[in-house]
Amino acid sequence: MLSLQGDPRQHHHHLQHHQQLQLAPYSADHREDSLATTAASSSVANLKRSQALDSHEVDEGMLMALAHQMYKAGNFKQALEQSTSVYDRNPQRTDNLLLLGAIHYQLHDFDMCIAKNEEALQIDPHFAECYGNMANAWKEKGNIDFAIRYYLIAIELRPNFADAWSNLASAYMRKGRFNEAAQCCRQALALNPRLVDAHSNLGNLMKAQGLVQEAYNCYVEAIRLQPNFAIAWSNLAGLFMEANDLNRALQYYKLKGNQPFSDAYLNLGNVYKALGMPQEAIVCYQRALQVRPDYVVAYVWRRSVDSMLDTIASVVNSVENFMEVQQETYFWTLALMLKMKWECGNYADAISCYNEVLRIDPLAADGLVNRGNTYKEIGRVNEAIHDYTRAINIRPAMAEAHANLASAYKDRLIDLNSRLTLHSGHVEGAIKSYKQALLLRPEFPEATCNLLHTLQCVCDWEDRDGKFMEVEGILRRQIKMAVIPSVQPFHAIAYPIDPMLALEISRKYAAHCSIIASRYSVPPFNYPAPLSIKGEGGSGRLRVGYVSSDFGNHPLSHLMGSVFGMHDRENVEVFCYALSPNDGTEWRQRIQSEAEHFIDVSSMSSDMIARLINEDRIQILVNLNGYTKGARNEIFAMQPAPIQISYMGFPGTTGASYIHYLVTDEFVSPSRFSHIYSEKLVHLPHCYFVNDYKQKNCDVLDQNCQPKRSDYGLPEDKFIFACFNQLYKMDPDIFNAWCNILKRVPNSALWLLRFPAAGEMRLRAYAAQHGVQSDQIIFTDVAMKNEHIRRSALADLFLDTPLCNAHTTGTDVLWAGLPMVTLPLEKMATRVAGSLCLATGIGEEMIVYSTKEYEEKAVSLALNRPKLQDLTARLKAARMTCPLFDTARWVRNLERAYFKMWNLYCCGQHPQPFKVAENDVEFPYDS
């Protein structure tokens, strides 16, 4: 969801005054201008010392030096005269053009500032300072998007441009993009630790995240560097005010700093108001208004202080009264207040307040977008779409409204058998809206990346390689800038991007989870003593906790349903922590009844859950979500257990230092690829991917219950290739191979799922372009689990997708007795199907290692029916005995892994990779 967006014409220097979060004034911008011209000044001195200069050159150099001197003294009009004289003599002099731009900036002629910097860039396109100064001007003109764009160019040209990083942080703060702002501040300070503005602004951002001590340290450092820095003193006072230490806050507001500015007066007034001193508060609010007559918040609090009321109703009334004084700013200020209320989780009140805003001004597009965001956040997607559409009708050029509308279309999903598929109309609407957002704002990373994902979901492959190159460039720049990537880790696992880049994406998301965790200010936990499970002083049973939002009708529960009750209760005590409420299905009921402890924590805050896990003395905590819907990875970032592992939910690396192990197997995650994982790899025997089919789906084996091809409109006489993976897993290379296979195998067809339905039209058209007959492509709807497995047996051969394999679907088709052809690559998600095949005992006949071999294998099996029939018969015969479907055997091996982890911990060793063998005798299985 995008952050609050205001009319660019209505931005002010301090948008967060009522939170005591002041953006530093443009000293960083001013300093940047000075630094940009200092080098030119020293160059003039060198020129004057040169014996080779003629009088004309000396005069020009002296004029430049004088212009600099006037500029530094704050005599901007005189500086303009001198600099203009230089320009008249030499209009190609880029250092003077930069200085002219800086002078016009100080004289508030921002258009001329931009024009002069553009002149310089025509001469020297790589002049980073010009882009930085143009960004400052665009920021003052209220176009924050342009400002951000130019700051980024300046940084790309000069990565060590500390002031540009600091000013970019300021711009991100103006847009409400606080995480990126904080990371830019840190980058600026890494380059120049003496940037007081960056220290102060970073303190504001830390404070907004609830990191009070970190905020305090930032403000103190700013004051140490510049003792008279009034804004840092004011922000420091704000910390004491929020801690209810009002007298100390009053002392800092009154006594420190030498720059009287509106926010300081406002905050001082708020302290007096909190102390019950209304007359003093009114005086302060009046002073704030004298410094800044359009300061709506000061007017609001002055109006409310008489009755000492600060309810939203009184704010609304005050804002309406203030319209007589300053109409242009009332909405932005009120909206900012409402955004704060919404971010505290009070959605009903936030919606009520936005309704009031829209009553005052029915054409307030920002209010509609933000109310739409609130609706979308609580799942009322249709109402969100309505608000975004109205906002677009009012302000057609509002890029955020178009992008948010696209995201809302994507969220309008149909849930079939816990699989999510998009309406065709909704997908097309999303694509159209993302494209419109990018027309309005070409530099819009979220829209660019979300558009690519939507196109991938429906197999729109036009200029696919170019789009992925563009997105990869965005990701690398974001990672370099320490910005949260616009591609989510779960999407990255299926993208053709470098595995190391996928690791970096996960690392950034893991770090973001740590930031979320830090907001709860949970102190470090104490862990159970590192004692062996049995023997003298032993700790009894090993306590294992599973955390998931998918205990219900979801593929995870379809696969793991019996696992939680199969653990050896003599040695292992199992706790399941459900992050989602009871969905009333048999899957939830089964796990709830079979697990030794099942705790519904869906209504608890993350810190409460972490405390509960720690109080339960969990020794090994298992993350079954990873980066999937419903995850609350901040719980793991709080580290409530001494050993934390990732398993099953996310087929890739979490990038998290607080996740110690990844449970996998030697084929899926070979040791030679360990560098693409942040976790230590634990290799289970056979296949890491568990399933519950032998316990839950034995009816599939009953020959008397098999469906017929005619039940699904399948031709009886054709050779049926099948792929039941979601369409986003497909790519042109594999589909080209499928087309070649269909053309080489007479009387053959390819059976696919409408998953989503919006992709059918595109795939049919693509196949036709490659010479495939229309009756060779057959689509069918998604079905319930049992029916889906049974009907899989109607196909002759399953064709896997290399970029992201069949995982749950792979176990479905193998349990149905349907052989497959799979091509493993490097990342985890590309190798799961191969591991599934190997665990049947006949997998090597189904695994290939090149696209050419893939095509040849499929054609060979289709044309040699006796060979395929033999493979199918052996696969069906192996189902009841092979390791892949032996859940109890898998659970014993997993327990061996758990005890190995615990024994390493008890020995004081750090987590380390290891392999579990079925003949391992790990404690407590020995005496």
Side-chain angles (χ1 to χ4, degrees), residues 747-762:
N747 201 28
S748 62
L750 176 62
W751 188 15
L752 303 171
L753 289 187
R754 295 186 181 95
F755 203 176
E760 178 176 351
M761 173 186 66
R762 289 181 174 87

Side-chain angles (χ1 to χ4, degrees), residues 493 802-805 807 823-832:
I493 63 172
L803 270 184
C804 188
N805 291 170
H807 298 178
L823 168 59
L825 300 175
E826 187 174 356
K827 290 187 289 186
M828 184 177 186
T830 74
R831 305 181 64 83
V832 174

Side-chain angles (χ1 to χ4, degrees), residues 3-43:
S3 59
L4 184 72
Q5 303 296 332
D7 186 330
R9 297 167 300 176
Q10 297 171 3
H11 283 291
H12 295 280
H13 292 197
H14 307 283
L15 294 182
Q16 291 133 334
H17 13 252
H18 59 297
Q19 274 192 302
Q20 294 82 45
L21 297 180
Q22 295 84 35
L23 300 185
Y26 295 102
S27 55
D29 302 350
H30 302 166
R31 180 172 52 253
E32 176 187 291
D33 299 334
S34 301
L35 287 175
T37 54
T38 300
S41 181
S42 61
S43 298

